[in-house]
Amino acid sequence: MMISGARREFIIKDTHRGLYYEDGKLTKILEAGHYKIPPRKRFFRKLPTVECMLVDVRERELTIKGQEILTADKVAIRVSILVQFRVTDPKAAIHTVDNFEDRLYSDVQLAARRSLASMTLEEILTNRNRLSEDILSDVTESAGSYGVTIRRADVKDLIFPGNLQEIMNRVLAAERHSQAQLVEARTRAEVEQIEAESRAEITRCDAQADAEARRLREQAEAEATRARAEAETQAYAERVKAAEALESHPALLRLAELETLRELAKNGNARLYLGLDRVSLNGTDSGKHDS
């Protein structure tokens, strides 16, 4: 947008910059602010003719639609590309090229053709980002020479011939099916592995429990055997002490015999045989007597 006319006031917003011309010569670049074009004459002296061109420096989008391009394997595809850019050097954008948007359109179009012509269809399908990267790297330097900075250059659409589209759909369906089968097989294998690990863990825990129970049982049996042995040893020791006491004190032995007889006497069926060492079983004297 060109602003001219003596004494005309105008405002430049933050979204624009102004190219200030005097008699057609660029003298300065105006930032955002309020300005006024001076009169053409002052004190009978003719002043330069002033004009100001506004340049939009906001980020904008440019879409290159429906470009039919042959790939390296001679497959015709139609591609649409979205470019995001902004003017960073208003002077270069206006003075270097006739129309920087048209120039950018042509540069992106040619970059896309060069990139696609070097790629096969399979490469395009498997690495779609490469096309965007090629366009961006190819156009960035040339666009910078006329004051434009490229933010992004992305492939918006890829359209293939009808029969090829059908084939691709079948291929994609087959790939999705195979991926689903792969996921199912992987899931089944993981489930089987988890079940096997669970069974192994249960078996291990059971074996540990059995071993612990057996150890405790054997420990208890050993403890009982030890206790019995200690009890028997203690009983033998008590008997030895009792025997020693009886041997040392015969009266104690007699008292023990009397106590035993007292207990037996309480039982009417008990039979006592006394003096068997002197009397025979038929009641006669076992010794010899003189007549």
Side-chain angles (χ1 to χ4, degrees), residues 104-123:
L104 180 61
Y105 186 100
S106 300
D107 287 347
V108 173
Q109 184 185 48
L110 293 174
R113 289 184 179 277
R114 284 191 294 269
S115 179
L116 285 173
S118 65
M119 299 171 65
T120 63
L121 180 61
E122 183 179 357
E123 291 174 337

Side-chain angles (χ1 to χ4, degrees), residues 234-254 256:
Q234 186 176 2
Y236 289 148
E238 293 293 333
R239 290 177 182 177
V240 169
K241 290 180 180 179
E244 290 175 351
L246 293 175
E247 184 179 359
S248 300
H249 302 84
L252 292 176
L253 178 61
R254 187 59 180 167

Side-chain angles (χ1 to χ4, degrees), residues 3-150:
I3 299 174
S4 60
R7 303 183 184 279
R8 183 175 177 182
E9 296 182 358
F10 61 95
I11 294 175
I12 299 178
K13 298 181 180 180
D14 283 334
T15 57
H16 291 70
R17 297 294 181 268
L19 300 182
Y20 190 84
Y21 296 90
E22 293 181 356
D23 287 338
K25 182 179 180 180
L26 179 66
T27 58
K28 55 186 174 181
I29 299 177
L30 303 179
E31 299 292 331
H34 179 268
Y35 300 93
K36 182 178 181 180
I37 296 179
R40 295 184 179 181
K41 291 183 180 181
R42 180 180 295 173
F43 302 113
F44 305 102
R45 184 167 62 89
K46 188 176 181 181
L47 299 177
T49 300
V50 174
E51 295 176 317
C52 184
M53 176 177 287
L54 298 182
V55 180
D56 194 337
V57 294
R58 291 175 294 183
E59 187 172 302
R60 285 177 280 175
E61 292 184 353
L62 177 65
T63 302
I64 294 93
K65 297 181 179 180
Q67 299 297 308
E68 186 169 325
I69 305 173
L70 287 177
T71 63
D73 46 359
K74 308 304 179 184
V75 177
I77 63 174
R78 297 177 68 85
V79 60
S80 295
I81 304 166
L82 178 66
V83 181
Q84 295 178 347
F85 70 98
R86 62 173 299 184
V87 174
T88 53
D89 186 349
K91 177 182 176 181
I94 299 301
H95 288 200
T96 304
V97 294
D98 177 54
N99 187 310
F100 64 86
E101 289 194 20
D102 290 345
R103 176 65 177 273
L104 180 61
Y105 186 100
S106 300
D107 287 347
V108 173
Q109 184 185 48
L110 293 174
R113 289 184 179 277
R114 284 191 294 269
S115 179
L116 285 173
S118 65
M119 299 171 65
T120 63
L121 180 61
E122 183 179 357
E123 291 174 337
I124 295 171
L125 294 175
T126 57
N127 189 10
R128 184 170 174 175
N129 290 334
R130 176 186 162 185
L131 178 58
S132 300
E133 293 169 356
D134 288 349
I135 294 172
L136 185 60
S137 62
D138 195 349
V139 176
T140 297
E141 184 176 355
S142 61
S145 65
Y146 50 86
V148 174
T149 298
I150 307 297

